[in-house]
Amino acid sequence: MPPAKPFEIRFDPGTIKHLGVQMYSTLPPVIGELVSNAWDADASHVDVTIPTTTVTDASEIVVEDDGGGMTDDAVRNAYLVVGRDRRAAEGTDLTASRRRPIMGRKGIGKFSAFGIAQEIEVETVHAGAVSRFVLKYDEIEAARGRVEIPPLPPSGTLIRGTRITLRKIKRYRTQPVNLDILRRGLARRFSIIGAKYSFEVRTNGVAITALERDLTRLLDKGPGGAPMLWTFKEEVKPGSGWIVEGWIGALNRTTPIEDGIQRGIAIFARGKLVQEPFVFDATVGQQFALSYLVGEVHAEFVDTEVDTIATSRTSLVWDVEANALLKEWGEKKVNTIAREWADKRAQHNEEDLLKHPVYVRFLKETEDAGDTRGRRVADKLIRNAIKDPNASLDSLAPFIEQVVTFVAFDAFHELAGELETTAAADIPKVVRLFEEWQLVEAREMLRVTKGRIQTIKKLQSLIVKDALEVPTLHNFLKKFPWVIDPRWSLVADEVKYSRLLKAEFPDGDLPMADRRIDFLCVRESDAIVVVEIKRPSVKAGRKEIAQVVDYVTRLRELVAKNTDPDLESKQVVGYLLVGDVQDSGDVRQRLINAKNNGVYVRPYHELLSLVERLHHDFLDRYTALKAAKAISNGEPEPAAIAAPTPIRLFKSLNRAPAAAAGRRGGKKRRPRGKKRRR
């Protein structure tokens, strides 16, 4: 048998470079051209095998189909002819056996693989006869318009169809192929993948599903929960006979679209993408709507007698009558849909607003308060905001919360005039006004907080100095009861309770050091709180705990019998403020018993720590607001405001128990300011 005649390819030297390397540089369109050839070969299945790790010199990408394959003659006189128009050459635009609409037309898809690989091996089987050869880009580029390609013996592994193997892959050397992006890219490039058209495409053995190309599942919901979807089947111009069919929808703006899927409307012909997603160059008032639109338009007339598809097969040539009318139709359709989308979004936001808990609360509270002006201004701001279809109610929730919160303040009405004149669409201006107001409010909060911090520091100082409970600590806590507990306020007539307790626990005959008039009565909601105050040096034991329990028990009895309406049905609880608690089993048990009886012991160091934590929130909020304001103005971020550090102070106090107890080395300390007698 004589040796097989070499295969031969003739071409202009620059053709392969322009049609392969420069036009195809990513995997989806390259594989897409090979899948398109499989469709035209009447294949039922296409298997794409992709490396799962980074590409090496030994890596291969394989695309194999079970189509009719090619005869040796078809390879020589059709496949290897650059620019051959199959439809014109064969006099039909349908495949031989399945009568499918032929996708290929330009005769250049075979060279797309040179965009990512240096070598293309082709092995094809038709009626048992095998043709196998390798196209090498370096040899083709070096040739002067004619390359002889030696035939190779059959591999023995291909039974039917065609196998394309890509080697010396130039890309994906640093990171592997993203298989999900490839699958979605292929799914979006073809509308004929799936059982409906008896055409299955698998990547690494897994079939691409209809769900991977179904963007309608990502569409936003409109009024009543219906998807934001517009379907159509109509002529681009009445009487033209040029039919467009498909759908356009608006994506859910809170769900990021998957990688590899472009926003815009794709145009298909013969089941294949002929125009990458775009919006027909539409310009509308709702310009932001265009970034959410996706869709498919099937227009078979763009790929019939006249070839109106650009060489790259990713865009149409628009300067022909049919395509020009298609573009004009698409621009009008997109404009109409964008306007309807905006109206539906506003209506949907309105429905959601009426059910939003913050807004419902706002309506009730302003109605109860009779605040008609504040309600009117706030409601206008909120409704203007939700008219913006570019914003979801979820994204506007912080703004609505802000408006609803501020309407309760008197300062809100100072802004009312300016806010009422603010343009409906100028929500950013409103936000800036609130940001400024927040900072002013935070400054006032800081002023109050700093005053409280100074008060806390004063209490620290009194503790460190072991101030007398009467009158120093008593008067201090009487003036600032919130230091003990932010919920506490001084009872209007604290003397009334003092008189009641003094009558029950007389101390006029006792020395000043032992007198027990060192308590304070405060109000917490409907409760009367008896606060027994001890010097910071005192360690509470049985006697001190029993004392405050006696006070609480007796005051409860007096309240129960008293006819004064201010005292009627008041709960009475007790607190004992001390430096520390004696560590003994008997004292611990008494603490448990006291707590069960509504009497609590609070050491000063716990008191300071609690107050510090409560007021740190004010400082943190002011610092955050100030930082945000500085960043928005391009200024350096300010340093955080330091809070007082009472922990260090009370720890140092606890480290000196002898000094805190007023004794050193067993000797009694002299009062400060007195001289030793001589």
Side-chain angles (χ1 to χ4, degrees):
M1 183 176 180
K5 180 182 177 182
F7 294 104
E8 184 177 281
I9 181 171
R10 296 174 180 271
F11 56 92
D12 180 88
T15 302
I16 307 300
K17 181 177 182 179
H18 294 314
L19 299 183
V21 178
Q22 295 183 351
M23 283 176 42
Y24 298 90
S25 59
T26 59
L27 203 51
V30 170
I31 302 299
E33 288 298 327
L34 302 181
V35 169
S36 175
N37 289 346
W39 167 268
D40 288 348
D42 282 324
S44 297
H45 301 90
V46 183
D47 279 290
V48 182
T49 304
I50 303 291
T52 57
T53 60
T54 53
V55 167
T56 66
D57 290 341
S59 298
E60 295 180 343
I61 294 175
V62 180
V63 179
E64 181 176 326
D65 67 62
D66 61 355
M70 294 179 285
T71 64
D72 189 79
D73 184 65
V75 170
R76 297 175 186 280
N77 299 314
Y79 184 79
L80 291 179
V81 176
V82 179
R84 175 179 179 268
D85 185 340
R86 174 179 173 177
R87 300 181 212 175
E90 297 180 5
T92 180
D93 63 351
L94 299 175
T95 61
S97 61
R98 293 179 180 265
R99 309 304 290 169
R100 291 171 172 173
I102 295 172
M103 291 183 181
R105 185 168 201 161
K106 302 180 185 300
I108 61 173
K110 63 184 76 65
F111 300 117
S112 65
F114 282 135
I116 62 170
Q118 294 289 103
E119 289 186 4
I120 305 172
E121 179 183 303
V122 180
E123 184 171 13
T124 183
V125 179
H126 179 79
V130 181
S131 299
R132 180 171 173 239
F133 56 93
V134 176
L135 300 173
K136 298 182 179 181
Y137 179 76
D138 291 341
E139 293 179 0
I140 293 174
E141 187 181 37
R144 295 184 176 276
R146 179 176 178 274
V147 178
E148 287 191 351
I149 305 164
L152 299 175
S155 66
T157 59
L158 185 66
I159 306 302
R160 61 174 297 181
T162 302
R163 178 194 294 146
I164 307 294
T165 303
L166 311 184
R167 301 191 184 96
K168 295 186 179 180
I169 301 164
K170 299 177 289 185
R171 303 195 61 196
Y172 312 107
R173 296 278 175 156
T174 58
Q175 59 183 12
V177 175
N178 188 318
L179 202 58
D180 289 336
I181 291 179
L182 171 62
R183 290 173 62 87
R184 287 194 291 265
L186 290 175
R188 190 79 197 271
R189 299 185 80 82
F190 296 97
S191 64
I192 41 75
I193 294 178
K196 180 179 179 180
Y197 297 95
S198 301
F199 189 63
E200 183 179 69
V201 178
R202 297 184 288 243
T203 60
N204 291 357
V206 180
I208 293 174
T209 66
L211 189 64
E212 290 175 272
R213 64 178 308 274
D214 180 18
L215 297 187
T216 60
R217 61 192 168 85
L218 301 177
L219 298 183
D220 199 2
K221 303 296 183 184
M228 293 280 203
L229 178 67
W230 291 259
T231 59
F232 44 82
K233 183 177 182 180
E234 55 195 73
E235 290 181 304
V236 295
K237 182 180 180 180
S240 67
W242 292 323
I243 304 296
V244 288
E245 182 177 1
W247 62 271
I248 297 175
L251 290 169
N252 186 330
R253 291 148 303 136
T254 59
T255 302
I257 193 166
E258 292 103 329
D259 293 336
I261 303 297
Q262 297 173 269
R263 287 171 171 81
I265 296 94
I267 301 178
F268 291 81
R270 296 176 171 261
K272 185 179 182 181
L273 179 76
V274 295
Q275 169 65 53
E276 293 276 6
F278 77 139
V279 290
F280 294 93
D281 298 336
T283 55
V284 294
Q286 293 78 19
Q287 193 70 23
F288 44 79
L290 302 181
S291 61
Y292 299 118
L293 296 184
V294 292
E296 291 183 4
V297 170
H298 295 266
E300 300 301 316
F301 59 87
V302 303
D303 191 16
T304 51
E305 293 85 4
V306 180
D307 185 3
T308 65
I309 303 172
T311 304
S312 64
R313 294 194 63 86
T314 58
S315 62
L316 291 173
V317 176
W318 297 107
D319 58 356
V320 295
E321 182 185 9
N323 293 4
L325 288 174
L326 171 61
K327 190 172 186 180
E328 183 180 340
W329 168 89
E331 184 177 359
K332 291 178 180 177
K333 180 67 71 175
V334 167
N335 286 341
T336 300
I337 288 174
R339 286 191 295 270
E340 291 179 2
W341 174 82
D343 293 340
K344 286 186 176 183
R345 277 305 315 162
Q347 185 182 346
H348 193 207
N349 281 348
E350 180 85 15
E351 291 178 357
D352 287 347
L353 177 67
L354 296 177
K355 297 179 289 186
H356 197 283
V358 175
Y359 186 73
V360 172
R361 189 190 77 220
F362 154 71
L363 293 179
K364 184 178 185 308
E365 290 179 357
T366 51
E367 182 178 0
D368 292 345
D371 185 4
T372 55
R373 184 188 179 198
R375 175 173 175 165
R376 174 167 47 81
V377 175
D379 198 48
K380 176 185 176 183
L381 290 172
I382 293 170
R383 290 179 180 275
N384 283 345
I386 66 171
K387 286 179 182 177
D388 178 4
N390 194 38
S392 66
L393 200 63
D394 287 341
S395 67
L396 289 172
F399 171 77
I400 295 171
E401 182 77 51
Q402 199 176 44
V403 174
V404 171
T405 299
F406 288 165
V407 77
F409 291 93
D410 290 339
F412 181 85
H413 298 285
E414 297 176 12
L415 289 173
E418 185 172 358
L419 293 175
E420 283 188 292
T421 60
T422 299
D426 197 4
I427 298 304
K429 178 181 177 182
V430 177
V431 172
R432 287 195 301 273
L433 287 170
F434 278 128
E435 286 174 349
E436 291 290 342
W437 188 23
Q438 275 186 308
L439 199 59
V440 172
E441 180 193 24
R443 288 195 191 103
E444 289 302 304
M445 187 184 301
L446 179 67
R447 182 181 60 79
V448 173
T449 301
K450 282 184 173 180
R452 289 197 165 193
I453 295 299
Q454 293 302 317
T455 304
I456 295 167
K457 286 183 176 180
K458 176 64 175 177
L459 177 59
Q460 291 174 338
S461 174
L462 294 177
I463 292 171
V464 171
K465 292 177 181 178
D466 192 21
L468 293 173
E469 56 265 53
V470 179
T472 309
L473 284 173
H474 180 277
N475 290 342
F476 180 86
L477 294 175
K478 184 175 180 179
K479 185 176 181 182
F480 306 110
W482 56 263
V483 172
I484 307 172
D485 192 309
R487 298 169 298 175
W488 291 357
S489 60
L490 190 67
V491 175
D493 189 6
E494 198 247 349
V495 175
K496 179 191 302 180
Y497 301 98
S498 300
R499 187 183 303 116
L500 288 171
L501 286 178
K502 285 178 184 179
E504 295 295 320
F505 300 93
D507 58 6
D509 298 332
L510 295 175
M512 179 64 70
D514 294 329
R515 289 186 179 180
R516 296 288 121 219
I517 57 171
D518 48 358
F519 53 78
L520 180 72
C521 292
V522 295
R523 187 186 306 277
E524 177 187 325
S525 186
D526 288 332
I528 299 298
V529 185
V530 179
V531 185
E532 172 72 356
I533 305 166
K534 297 297 182 183
R535 295 176 69 175
S537 59
V538 173
K539 278 192 172 185
R542 296 170 54 189
K543 177 182 175 183
E544 289 76 17
I545 296 171
Q547 189 175 54
V548 70
V549 170
D550 288 344
Y551 286 168
V552 170
T553 301
R554 188 59 181 140
L555 190 54
R556 285 172 181 166
E557 295 172 355
L558 294 171
V559 167
K561 295 187 299 183
N562 203 286
T563 58
D564 190 331
D566 288 341
L567 295 177
E568 187 177 0
S569 301
K570 295 294 183 184
Q571 180 187 2
V572 180
V573 297
Y575 273 82
L576 173 62
L577 296 185
V578 293
D580 210 337
V581 180
Q582 295 176 13
D583 187 14
S584 72
D586 182 47
V587 171
R588 286 194 293 272
Q589 185 58 48
R590 285 181 176 269
L591 285 174
I592 295 172
N593 295 339
K595 184 177 180 181
N596 292 336
N597 197 30
V599 174
Y600 308 92
V601 177
R602 179 169 287 175
Y604 284 105
H605 64 81
E606 290 183 5
L607 172 68
L608 292 172
S609 181
L610 171 66
V611 174
E612 180 197 28
R613 288 196 305 272
L614 291 172
H615 289 85
H616 240 304
D617 292 342
F618 289 96
L619 297 174
D620 290 346
R621 180 178 177 191
Y622 178 75
T623 301
L625 286 168
K626 196 167 185 179
K629 180 68 175 176
I631 292 171
S632 66
N633 291 339
E635 303 167 0
E637 187 173 343
I641 299 173
T645 54
I647 293 176
R648 178 181 59 80
L649 293 171
F650 70 68
K651 279 187 176 179
S652 64
L653 178 66
N654 290 342
R655 280 200 300 269
R663 298 181 180 275
R664 186 187 301 258
K667 294 183 180 180
K668 194 171 183 179
R669 293 176 61 189
R670 293 188 306 276
R672 186 174 295 179
K674 289 191 176 183
K675 295 182 179 180
R676 184 193 297 251
R677 286 187 179 180
R678 297 190 178 273

